[in-house]
């Protein structure tokens, strides 16, 4: 199969949460354990940092990778979802896995995948672990897909576990309270393995402390321990907490005396995240006059910070290109959006995309008014056409809306 045929097979044949949502979620690690046994346990050859959390996992993972690359290490990076190309999920020192490797891996293991009805995410985790082991990476940053306890990545024993924050997202799988979600995320905390917590509330702190005591793990609350952070090329206001989390994690890694990371490495790593890792879609400016910003924030916790940052901008008029997925709680997120803005409603081009007419009708209930467009691209082009050079255009609501614009 060609690369296109291979990725089509990966996406179409088996459940993909990114595309389908709830039907693709598996509450079990049995398949992942079967797969790594079939692959001769590549995960046992890997040194890892494991990153979970509701928001900021991607930025935190890329920041960590950038710092470690600056320190001269060969760094594997596994993240999800991808924006444009499947290969963005699996990188070494910012370079995506080759199309050939993806094709060979699927061809070699296809009958095993089919016989065991593996999910898209399970196969992708297996691919990443085998690739990093074969390429003999020095260290790997492994981002949790969803939750933690039952996530396919949770078969590793990391050098340090990282939990960025807890917010209400994926509640149909992880629970409807911060405490229940924190319990799922805390599932990545392993015996005698330090854990860094980015942000916490009194109820989530209690969950983390209990789990750390049970596993005899040292626990570090980054927001209490780190005051100043280095400047970075990641400009969103929400990066302040991510940067603190990364600095504390680097401190823990340093104390293990296995990796040498200087202050200079940290400074340079923070400044060169985009160059070193290729991260996109985090308060990313696409043009000036009118200023256009896209951002992948898609839940209450993330959107609050991003929409607050928009308030600090100076502009004549605000244009918002907005699309969401169909499992989003609109009663939670729509009240966060400003009433004084021109809205361009659209549907991301995936099966999970919410119909733009439904979004428009629901938005009207919150006095958010605008027109419906038949694609993200048309909505964006119309916003560009209508905006004067002193206006501001924001594109968001979903990772998939941002992906289509990029």
């Amino acid at each position: 199969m060609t690369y296109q045929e291979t990725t089509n097979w990966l996406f179409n044949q088996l459940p993909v949460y990114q595309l389908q949502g709830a039907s693709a979620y598996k509450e079990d690690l049995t398949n992942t354990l079967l797969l790594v046994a079939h692959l001769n346990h590549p995960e046992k050859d890997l040194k890892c940092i494991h990153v979970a959390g509701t928001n900021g996992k991607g930025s935190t993972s890329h920041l960590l990778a950038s710092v470690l690359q600056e320190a001269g290490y060969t760094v594997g990076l596994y993240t999800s979802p991808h924006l444009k190309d499947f290969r963005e999920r699996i990188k070494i020192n910012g370079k995506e896995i080759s199309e050939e490797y993806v094709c060979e891996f699927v061809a070699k293991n296809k009958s095993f995948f089919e016989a065991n009805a593996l999910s898209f995410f399970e196969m992708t985790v297996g691919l990443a672990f085998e690739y990093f082991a074969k390429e003999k990476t020095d260290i790997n940053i492994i981002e949790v897909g969803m939750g933690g306890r039952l996530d396919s990545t949770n078969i590793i024993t990391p050098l340090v576990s990282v939990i960025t924050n807890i917010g209400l997202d994926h509640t149909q799988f992880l629970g409807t309270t911060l405490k229940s979600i924190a319990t799922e995320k805390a599932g990545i905390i392993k015996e005698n393995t330090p854990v860094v917590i980015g942000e916490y509330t009194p109820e989530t702190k209690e969950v983390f402390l209990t789990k750390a005591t049970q596993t005899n793990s040292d626990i570090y609350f980054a927001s209490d321990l780190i005051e100043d952070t280095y400047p970075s090329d990641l400009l969103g206001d929400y990066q302040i907490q991510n940067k603190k989390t990364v600095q504390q994690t680097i401190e823990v890694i340093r104390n293990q005396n296995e990796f040498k990371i200087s202050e200079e490495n940290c400074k340079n790593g923070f400044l060169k995240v985009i160059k070193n890792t290729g991260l996109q879609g985090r308060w990313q400016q696409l043009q000036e006059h009118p200023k256009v910003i896209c951002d992948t924030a898609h839940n209450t916790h993330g959107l609050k910070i991003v929409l607050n940052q928009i308030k600090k901008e100076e502009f004549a008029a605000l244009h918002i290109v907005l699309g969401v997925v169909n499992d989003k709680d609109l009663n939670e997120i729509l009240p966060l959006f400003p009433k004084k803005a021109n809205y361009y409603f659209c549907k991301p081009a995936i099966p999970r995309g919410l119909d733009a007419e439904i979004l428009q009708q629901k938005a009207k209930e919150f006095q958010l008014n605008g027109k419906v467009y038949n694609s993200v691209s048309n909505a964006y082009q119309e916003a560009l056409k209508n905006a004067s050079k002193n206006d501001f255009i924001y594109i968001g609501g979903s990772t998939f809306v941002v992906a289509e614009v990029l």
Side-chain angles (χ1 to χ4, degrees), residues 281-296:
R282 277 43 170 211
W283 195 262
Q284 183 174 345
Q285 185 168 338
L286 303 182
Q287 68 163 67
E288 190 73 67
H289 308 305
K291 188 171 184 178
V292 179
I293 294 286
C294 66
D295 194 281
T296 55

Side-chain angles (χ1 to χ4, degrees), residues 50-63:
H50 204 188
V51 183
T54 302
N55 291 308
K57 295 190 297 288
S59 296
T60 297
S61 297
H62 285 78
L63 272 158

Side-chain angles (χ1 to χ4, degrees), residues 191-205:
E191 287 288 332
N192 303 307
T193 301
V195 57
V196 174
I197 308 297
E199 299 172 77
Y200 63 86
T201 65
E203 57 199 310
T204 64
K205 186 175 189 177

Side-chain angles (χ1 to χ4, degrees), residues 223-381:
S223 54
D224 296 343
L225 295 167
I226 304 292
E227 288 184 12
D228 292 328
T229 62
Y230 305 114
S232 174
D233 58 349
L234 302 184
L235 302 174
D237 285 357
Y238 49 80
Q239 299 296 358
I240 293 165
Q241 291 302 337
N242 295 333
K243 291 193 290 182
K244 288 184 178 185
T245 306
V246 169
Q247 278 175 241
Q248 184 57 54
T249 306
I250 293 295
E251 197 57 41
V252 171
I253 291 285
R254 267 195 195 127
N255 291 340
Q256 293 173 344
N257 292 322
E258 207 169 328
F259 293 89
K260 290 191 163 48
I261 307 155
S262 69
E263 187 153 339
E264 200 63 24
N265 299 150
C266 287
K267 282 181 180 167
N268 290 334
F270 274 48
L271 282 173
K272 298 182 192 170
V273 183
I274 295 166
K275 178 173 176 280
N276 286 344
T277 68
L279 180 64
Q280 293 194 86
R282 277 43 170 211
W283 195 262
Q284 183 174 345
Q285 185 168 338
L286 303 182
Q287 68 163 67
E288 190 73 67
H289 308 305
K291 188 171 184 178
V292 179
I293 294 286
C294 66
D295 194 281
T296 55
H298 56 272
N299 53 35
T300 311
H301 183 274
L303 284 166
K304 261 184 191 162
I305 301 170
V306 168
L307 293 167
N308 219 32
Q309 189 164 355
I310 291 173
K311 286 181 192 167
K312 299 177 191 173
E313 295 283 333
E314 287 183 19
F315 48 77
L318 176 60
H319 305 261
I320 295 181
V321 176
L322 188 65
V324 297
V325 290
N326 58 20
D327 53 6
K328 203 51 62 190
D329 185 345
L330 297 179
N331 292 319
E332 281 278 325
I333 67 164
L334 289 176
L336 304 173
F337 282 85
K339 294 178 178 64
K340 201 177 169 190
N342 307 303
Y343 284 86
Y344 303 76
F345 300 109
C346 51
K347 175 193 169 185
I350 57 164
R352 281 172 68 209
L354 180 69
D355 194 78
E357 278 88 3
I358 296 172
L359 179 59
Q360 181 195 40
Q361 287 308 313
K362 192 70 186 169
K364 263 188 191 157
E365 294 174 25
F366 299 95
Q367 291 90 54
L368 311 178
N369 297 306
K371 291 182 181 168
V372 165
Y373 296 86
N374 62 6
S375 71
V376 171
S377 174
N378 286 352
Y380 177 39
Q381 289 309 316

Side-chain angles (χ1 to χ4, degrees), residues 9-228:
W9 182 84
L10 280 167
F11 286 132
N12 296 333
Q13 175 139 338
L14 302 163
V16 187
Y17 178 77
Q18 177 167 350
L19 303 178
Q20 290 162 237
S23 64
Y25 184 62
K26 291 196 181 178
E27 286 199 5
D28 199 317
L29 288 175
T30 308
N31 273 0
T32 310
L33 293 167
L34 270 178
L35 175 58
V36 290
H38 168 73
L39 298 173
N40 296 320
H41 290 287
E43 80 285 1
K44 291 187 174 170
D45 296 329
L46 303 178
K47 288 177 180 169
C48 301
I49 298 173
H50 204 188
V51 183
T54 302
N55 291 308
K57 295 190 297 288
S59 296
T60 297
S61 297
H62 285 78
L63 272 158
L64 281 165
S66 183
V67 169
L68 287 156
Q69 282 171 231
E70 285 294 324
Y73 296 106
T74 303
V75 185
L77 178 61
Y78 175 74
T79 57
S80 61
H82 60 272
L83 285 174
K84 301 294 283 180
D85 183 351
F86 169 78
R87 296 181 305 131
E88 293 166 29
R89 293 168 178 256
I90 302 169
K91 297 178 180 177
I92 295 177
N93 283 10
K95 190 172 187 286
E96 293 171 1
I97 188 171
S98 71
E99 293 184 357
E100 293 74 25
Y101 198 103
V102 176
C103 294
E104 283 167 20
F105 178 82
V106 171
K108 189 173 65 185
N109 299 292
K110 192 162 176 269
S111 56
F112 179 87
F113 296 155
E114 289 172 333
N116 292 283
L118 293 190
S119 76
F120 168 84
F121 194 76
E122 287 159 350
M123 292 187 294
T124 307
V125 167
L127 168 60
F129 289 174
E130 186 194 86
Y131 179 59
F132 295 154
K134 282 201 168 157
E135 294 296 317
K136 296 185 164 47
T137 48
D138 297 316
I139 188 164
N140 305 277
I141 317 300
I142 308 295
E143 182 194 334
V144 166
M146 184 184 7
R149 182 174 65 93
L150 298 170
D151 188 77
S152 295
T153 62
N154 201 28
I155 56 165
I156 56 174
T157 305
L159 301 170
V160 56
S161 305
V162 180
I163 301 171
T164 57
N165 53 49
I166 303 297
L168 294 173
D169 202 15
H170 303 307
T171 51
Q172 66 271 51
F173 313 111
L174 308 178
T176 55
T177 66
L178 291 179
K179 191 171 181 177
S180 62
I181 295 171
T183 302
E184 289 300 316
K185 309 276 186 197
I188 70 163
I189 302 174
K190 304 290 196 305
E191 287 288 332
N192 303 307
T193 301
V195 57
V196 174
I197 308 297
E199 299 172 77
Y200 63 86
T201 65
E203 57 199 310
T204 64
K205 186 175 189 177
E206 184 191 326
V207 172
F208 298 140
L209 286 169
T210 302
K211 180 72 176 183
T213 303
Q214 287 166 358
T215 54
N216 194 33
S217 303
D218 292 334
I219 187 166
Y220 303 86
F221 293 94
S223 54
D224 296 343
L225 295 167
I226 304 292
E227 288 184 12
D228 292 328

Side-chain angles (χ1 to χ4, degrees), residues 390-403:
N390 296 321
D391 288 357
F392 186 96
I393 300 174
Y394 169 73
I395 303 155
S398 163
T399 301
F400 310 109
V401 170
V402 172

